[in-house]
């Protein structure tokens, strides 16, 4: 966080919403193989929860001709904090999609939406009713929560600066490369090493959405279950250096990269200093040495298709 950034009012990530050309295929995959639970539907919409999370839903799918990130939602502690953030953004010239008010999505609450610097729609909300959830049992290889979302950016330096300045995200670490320069910035809004990250890419799009599992055993069981089901694995299993979390990356039916992870590092924020991690060092990509090599194939898959409809708000 820069010295001039105001106090942090964002508390956590709530959900990621995706527009998809084939809603039925996505519903079947995320409920049947990935391990989420459909908790509500509307015309062309599906709301998916993680059994271990109090969030009403961690992913929303919407039937659409175009594939894109519809929305990324973050939580705030109070309605007053929501109002403060909306006022701060408006004063800084950020375009608000909606003014603070009552939300009509599952769980209700109070929030507003705005466009970030590249035209993504972002929501901030408070007082969303918590969902009745449960403890994930030993050996149960389904997501506990949405861990983090990583977006691709055609101007990552400006995008990082936007989230640091306007939402007071703090920089945890940077991935860099001797030939290509800085490649990924890990940002946090709480002690987790990252809830959000920004990757260098020719176009804005989803890099990946990551889901936390109960532990190493459950993470490996989930990875194996998807492999046996024939889901295309992109990268993993392994353990990153930045964040110290495990990773197994797969493709959903629409070509979005999604991750199973566990053991993401929790930082002592007062003592933490961001580091530069050189991707040419094999230990940076995978400390275990068990994952397939990070190569152009993996990178191209993570570029995803360019988001369309930027600066166009999705339906509520």
């Amino acid at each position: 966080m820069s010295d001039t950034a105001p106090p942090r009012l964002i508390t956590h990530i709530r959900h990621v919403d995706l527009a998809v050309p084939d809603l039925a295929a996505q519903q079947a995959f995320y409920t049947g193989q990935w391990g989420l639970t459909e908790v509500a539907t509307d015309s062309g919409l599906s709301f998916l929860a993680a059994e271990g999370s109090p969030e009403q839903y961690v992913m929303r799918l919407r039937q659409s001709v175009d594939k894109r990130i519809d929305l990324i939602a973050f939580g705030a502690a109070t309605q007053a904090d929501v109002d403060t953030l909306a006022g701060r953004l408006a004063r800084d010239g950020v375009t608000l999609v909606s003014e603070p008010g009552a939300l009509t999505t599952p769980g209700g609450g109070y929030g507003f939406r705005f466009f970030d610097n590249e035209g993504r729609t972002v929501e901030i909300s408070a007082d969303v009713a918590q969902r009745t959830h449960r403890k994930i049992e030993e050996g149960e290889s389904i997501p506990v929560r949405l861990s983090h979302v990583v977006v691709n950016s055609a101007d990552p330096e400006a995008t990082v600066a936007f989230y640091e300045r306007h939402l007071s995200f703090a920089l945890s670490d940077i991935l860099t490369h001797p030939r290509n320069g800085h490649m990924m910035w890990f940002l946090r809004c709480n002690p987790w090493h990252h809830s959000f990250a920004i990757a260098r890419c020719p176009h804005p799009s989803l890099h990946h959405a990551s889901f936390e599992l109960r532990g190493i055993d459950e993470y490996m069981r989930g990875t194996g279950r998807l492999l046996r089901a024939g889901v295309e694995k992109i990268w993993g299993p392994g353990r990153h250096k930045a964040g110290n979390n495990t990773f197994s990356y797969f493709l959903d039916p629409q070509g979005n990269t999604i991750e199973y992870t566990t053991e993401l590092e929790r930082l002592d924020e007062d003592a933490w200093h961001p580091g530069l991690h050189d991707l040419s060092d094999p230990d940076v990509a995978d400390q275990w040495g068990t994952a397939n090599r990070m190569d152009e194939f993996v990178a191209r898959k993570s570029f995803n298709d360019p988001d369309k409809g930027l600066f166009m708000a999705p339906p509520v």
Side-chain angles (χ1 to χ4, degrees):
M1 190 187 310
S2 69
D3 293 337
T4 59
R8 183 192 301 160
L9 299 179
I10 299 293
T11 56
H12 65 292
I13 191 165
R14 287 196 189 276
H15 52 87
V16 59
D17 300 0
L18 304 179
V20 296
D22 190 340
L23 178 60
Q26 292 290 85
Q27 285 174 303
F29 171 79
Y30 280 105
T31 59
Q33 294 176 306
W34 197 248
L36 300 180
T37 300
E38 187 174 66
V39 292
T41 59
D42 203 338
S43 178
L45 297 173
S46 174
F47 299 86
L48 304 173
E51 285 294 319
S53 171
E55 292 297 326
Q56 287 287 327
Y57 56 100
V58 295
M59 175 177 280
R60 189 194 75 172
L61 304 173
R62 179 176 66 88
Q63 179 72 46
S64 173
V65 173
D66 294 323
K67 167 187 168 185
R68 67 162 185 167
I69 302 172
D70 259 351
L71 180 143
I72 302 171
F74 297 102
T78 66
Q79 291 190 18
D81 288 346
V82 170
D83 288 336
T84 297
L85 285 164
R88 180 191 303 170
L89 289 162
R91 285 192 301 274
D92 287 344
V94 175
T95 301
L96 299 190
V97 177
S98 62
E99 296 289 339
L103 301 178
T104 60
T105 43
Y110 181 83
F112 73 101
R113 295 178 178 181
F114 64 92
F115 292 130
D116 76 4
N117 61 302
E118 290 189 299
R120 299 176 195 86
T121 304
V122 180
E123 179 182 274
I124 299 173
S125 61
D127 292 348
V128 178
Q130 291 197 340
R131 175 178 176 269
T132 300
H133 60 293
R134 63 182 179 83
K135 179 181 178 182
I136 302 300
E137 300 297 332
E138 185 175 348
E140 194 175 6
S141 56
I142 61 174
V144 174
R145 68 182 184 97
L146 177 64
S147 174
H148 56 271
V149 171
V150 181
V151 299
N152 289 316
S153 172
D155 189 354
E157 290 85 358
T159 305
V160 170
F162 179 94
Y163 282 88
E164 287 181 323
R165 176 186 175 188
H166 297 296
L167 299 180
S168 301
F169 275 78
L171 178 67
S172 294
D173 283 308
I174 298 174
L175 297 184
T176 190
H177 190 276
R179 294 191 305 274
N180 302 318
H182 291 356
M183 299 301 295
M184 184 176 288
W185 292 253
F186 296 96
L187 303 178
R188 67 183 187 275
C189 57
N190 54 41
W192 292 110
H193 180 271
H194 56 285
S195 297
F196 190 56
I198 297 158
R200 186 179 301 280
C201 181
H203 53 256
S205 59
L206 177 69
H207 186 284
H208 72 270
S210 180
F211 298 81
E212 178 91 13
L213 275 74
R214 181 181 183 273
I216 291 289
D217 182 69
E218 292 75 19
Y219 153 78
M220 288 301 296
R221 286 174 184 266
T223 298
R225 184 185 69 251
L226 293 167
L227 290 173
R228 286 174 175 171
V231 178
E232 183 177 359
K233 178 178 70 70
I234 300 303
W235 194 26
R239 184 186 284 276
H240 294 312
K241 185 173 182 181
N244 200 37
N245 55 304
T246 62
F247 66 91
S248 292
Y249 295 90
F250 294 88
L251 287 184
D252 75 12
Q254 306 286 275
N256 295 303
T257 300
I258 47 177
E259 179 188 32
Y260 273 168
T261 191
T262 197
E263 296 188 347
L264 181 65
E265 189 172 6
R266 291 178 68 90
L267 307 181
D268 177 352
E269 294 196 83
D270 292 334
W272 187 259
H273 297 282
L276 287 176
H277 298 278
D278 184 350
L279 281 168
S280 65
D281 178 357
D283 283 345
V284 168
D286 176 22
Q287 297 181 78
W288 288 346
T290 53
N292 49 308
R293 184 172 170 267
M294 163 53 87
D295 55 18
E296 291 183 5
F297 167 79
V298 175
R300 282 198 306 271
K301 292 294 186 180
S302 296
F303 279 178
N304 212 332
D305 301 316
D307 274 0
K308 298 180 180 179
L310 295 172
F311 292 104
M312 292 178 60
V316 175

